[in-house]
């Protein structure tokens, strides 16, 4: 018998082994073990919802969110909403939202009940606390924001109307709400407000005018206030010892900060128009944008190159793209028109996703799963030029 050289024999053995290994690795979709991994951000439900431009139903849907598009989501059945963008269902009208640091759960404030709930998709809402509220005159629980040092202190701040006044409250785990700033005037209208934080880690408080079209400059109604977490005036306010940062609001719906350039924006329902202001110390100047048709501006979010405003009466999201100087060119873009109905609360999550709350049970046409909290990728910025 002819003997193969040892090197050739070893090469043949290695080749046979390699072929066997490759054959063993050839699996098909329904065969063999699976190594499940989290999807990349922006790739479907596990990795983040699609952008608002791709939201189910688009602008073709009716006010209940239904659409003639065969690819549109199924109609909700009771509190079960098949839309993957919907985080929570069957709530009372949502007055405020604050996203928790994990980016997948949030605190929801119900305007009329004063309940603060922790919500997360696929889980039942958990009651955290109840803030005593009086919802008359547009009031109730209308503001929520995490403490600037939430990771250390686990504190949350709320803006609420009580039987006596409008006030800022501190919410701590396993404790009743505690007042931080009280005595903000209450009236027959204009009781709503909003909360935010600025780049200096102080609290921003937008207060309604309490029905007074011309409140005194030193009064706390109709203002943007800037305070620390103990309720004391911020050191850099225009008047030392006063919490007032800006004056001239009527019925604010939201306040938001673009952390990239420290711009602060506030929405307001003025006497004859809806407006968006860029906040500066002292009296608020001319509106940065005006909606003469009064679509009901509410909560807002801001990030580089974009300011998005929830519209309650308009049942949509209005998207503006500011230039570096805060001016706008071109008309706002309208997104989510009649997809989720009347939008009110809006905030940006730690992962850059936009959270919205609906108020369809208050003057709208609710579907079975209303009211809802929605989590979706925000519109992208850029494209604005200096005016």
């Amino acid at each position: 018998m002819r003997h193969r050289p040892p090197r050739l024999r070893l090469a043949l053995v290695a080749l046979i082994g390699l072929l066997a290994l490759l054959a063993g690795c050839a699996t098909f979709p329904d065969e063999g073990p699976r190594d499940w991994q989290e999807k990349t951000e922006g790739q479907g439900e596990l990795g983040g919802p699609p952008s608002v431009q791709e939201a189910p139903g688009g602008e073709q849907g009716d006010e209940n969110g239904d659409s003639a598009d065969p690819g549109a989501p199924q109609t909700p059945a009771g509190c079960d909403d098949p839309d993957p963008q919907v985080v929570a269902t069957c709530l009372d009208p949502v007055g405020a939202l604050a996203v928790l640091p994990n980016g997948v759960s949030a605190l929801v404030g119900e305007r009329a009940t004063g309940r603060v709930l922790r919500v997360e998709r696929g889980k039942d809402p958990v009651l955290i606390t109840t803030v005593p509220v009086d919802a008359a005159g547009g009031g109730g629980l209308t503001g929520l924001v995490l403490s600037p040092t939430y990771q250390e202190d686990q504190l949350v701040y709320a803006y609420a109307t009580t039987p006596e006044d409008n006030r800022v409250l501190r919410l701590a785990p396993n404790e009743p709400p505690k007042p931080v700033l009280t005595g903000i005037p209450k009236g027959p209208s204009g009781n709503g407000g909003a909360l935010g934080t600025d780049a200096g880690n102080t609290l921003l408080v937008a207060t309604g005018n309490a029905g007074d079209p011309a409140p005194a400059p030193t009064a706390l109604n109709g203002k943007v206030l800037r305070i620390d977490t103990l309720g004391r005036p911020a050191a850099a306010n225009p008047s030392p010892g006063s919490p007032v940062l800006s004056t001239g609001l009527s019925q604010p719906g939201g306040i938001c900060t673009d952390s990239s350039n420290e711009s602060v924006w506030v929405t307001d329902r003025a006497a004859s128009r809806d407006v968006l202001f860029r906040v500066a110390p002292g009296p608020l100047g001319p509106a940065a944008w005006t909606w003469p048709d009064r679509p009901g501006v509410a909560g807002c979010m801001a990030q580089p190159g974009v300011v998005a405003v929830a519209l309650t009466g308009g049942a949509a999201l209005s998207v503006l793209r500011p230039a570096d100087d805060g001016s706008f060119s071109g008309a706002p873009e309208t997104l989510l028109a009649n997809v989720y109905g009347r939008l009110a609360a809006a905030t940006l999550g730690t992962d850059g996703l936009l959270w919205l709350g609906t108020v369809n049970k208050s003057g709208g046409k609710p579907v079975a799963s209303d009211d809802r909290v929605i989590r979706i990728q925000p519109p992208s910025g850029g494209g604005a030029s200096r005016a």
Side-chain angles (χ1 to χ4, degrees), residues 131-171:
V131 177
V133 295
D134 178 0
L141 178 53
T142 58
L144 278 179
V145 69
L146 302 186
S147 163
T149 53
Y150 179 84
Q151 297 281 24
E152 291 77 34
D153 57 34
Q154 302 291 295
L155 296 177
V156 179
Y157 293 86
Y159 189 83
T161 307
T162 73
E164 297 81 29
D165 60 6
N166 292 293
R167 59 180 57 186
V168 179
L169 299 155
R170 185 183 69 198
L171 312 181

Side-chain angles (χ1 to χ4, degrees), residues 119-132:
V119 300
E120 182 175 338
R121 180 167 171 79
K123 297 183 179 180
D124 291 335
V126 176
L127 179 64
I128 301 300
T129 190
T130 300
V131 177

Side-chain angles (χ1 to χ4, degrees), residues 177-261:
K178 294 183 178 179
V180 170
L181 179 64
T182 62
I184 302 170
K186 174 188 175 184
S189 62
N191 290 315
L195 292 178
T197 57
D198 67 5
N201 288 336
T202 52
L203 298 179
L204 297 171
V205 188
T207 69
N209 64 11
D212 183 351
T218 57
L220 300 183
N221 52 322
K223 307 293 193 296
V224 176
L225 312 177
R226 186 166 58 180
I227 59 175
D228 67 15
T229 55
L230 298 177
R232 300 172 301 196
N237 286 349
S239 297
S242 170
V244 175
L245 174 64
S246 300
T247 63
L249 292 179
S250 297
Q251 300 182 65
I255 189 166
C256 49
T257 301
D258 180 352
S259 59
S260 69
N261 59 15

Side-chain angles (χ1 to χ4, degrees), residues 80-363:
D80 182 16
D81 196 315
D83 185 340
Q85 301 3 291
V86 173
V87 175
T89 61
C90 290
L91 303 169
D92 258 39
V94 178
L97 278 170
V99 182
L100 294 172
N102 63 15
V104 298
S105 56
L107 299 179
V108 178
E110 293 180 333
R111 188 182 75 85
T113 69
R115 296 195 306 170
V116 178
L117 305 158
R118 185 173 67 244
V119 300
E120 182 175 338
R121 180 167 171 79
K123 297 183 179 180
D124 291 335
V126 176
L127 179 64
I128 301 300
T129 190
T130 300
V131 177
V133 295
D134 178 0
L141 178 53
T142 58
L144 278 179
V145 69
L146 302 186
S147 163
T149 53
Y150 179 84
Q151 297 281 24
E152 291 77 34
D153 57 34
Q154 302 291 295
L155 296 177
V156 179
Y157 293 86
Y159 189 83
T161 307
T162 73
E164 297 81 29
D165 60 6
N166 292 293
R167 59 180 57 186
V168 179
L169 299 155
R170 185 183 69 198
L171 312 181
N174 305 312
E175 294 182 11
K178 294 183 178 179
V180 170
L181 179 64
T182 62
I184 302 170
K186 174 188 175 184
S189 62
N191 290 315
L195 292 178
T197 57
D198 67 5
N201 288 336
T202 52
L203 298 179
L204 297 171
V205 188
T207 69
N209 64 11
D212 183 351
T218 57
L220 300 183
N221 52 322
K223 307 293 193 296
V224 176
L225 312 177
R226 186 166 58 180
I227 59 175
D228 67 15
T229 55
L230 298 177
R232 300 172 301 196
N237 286 349
S239 297
S242 170
V244 175
L245 174 64
S246 300
T247 63
L249 292 179
S250 297
Q251 300 182 65
I255 189 166
C256 49
T257 301
D258 180 352
S259 59
S260 69
N261 59 15
E262 302 183 12
S263 293
V264 177
W265 304 89
V266 61
T267 66
D268 192 26
R269 302 181 189 185
S272 60
R273 56 185 183 155
D274 286 357
V275 295
L276 175 70
F277 290 112
R278 190 180 189 186
V279 177
L284 291 168
W289 195 264
T290 298
W291 289 265
D293 57 340
R294 305 186 68 183
V297 295
C300 64
M301 80 87 186
Q303 58 181 5
V306 63
V307 178
V309 178
L311 305 180
T312 300
L317 189 71
S318 187
V319 179
L320 305 99
R321 292 181 168 83
D324 291 341
D325 62 358
S327 62
F328 297 97
S329 60
E333 184 179 5
T334 300
L335 302 174
L336 297 180
N338 297 320
V339 174
Y340 295 109
R342 295 160 59 86
L343 303 177
T347 192
L348 200 61
T350 54
D351 55 2
L353 295 181
L354 173 62
W355 292 63
L356 300 165
T358 71
V359 288
N360 291 316
K361 289 178 180 176
S362 177

Side-chain angles (χ1 to χ4, degrees), residues 2-9 12:
R2 184 178 178 180
H3 295 282
R4 296 183 176 89
R7 291 182 178 176
L8 179 59
R9 188 181 307 139
L12 289 173

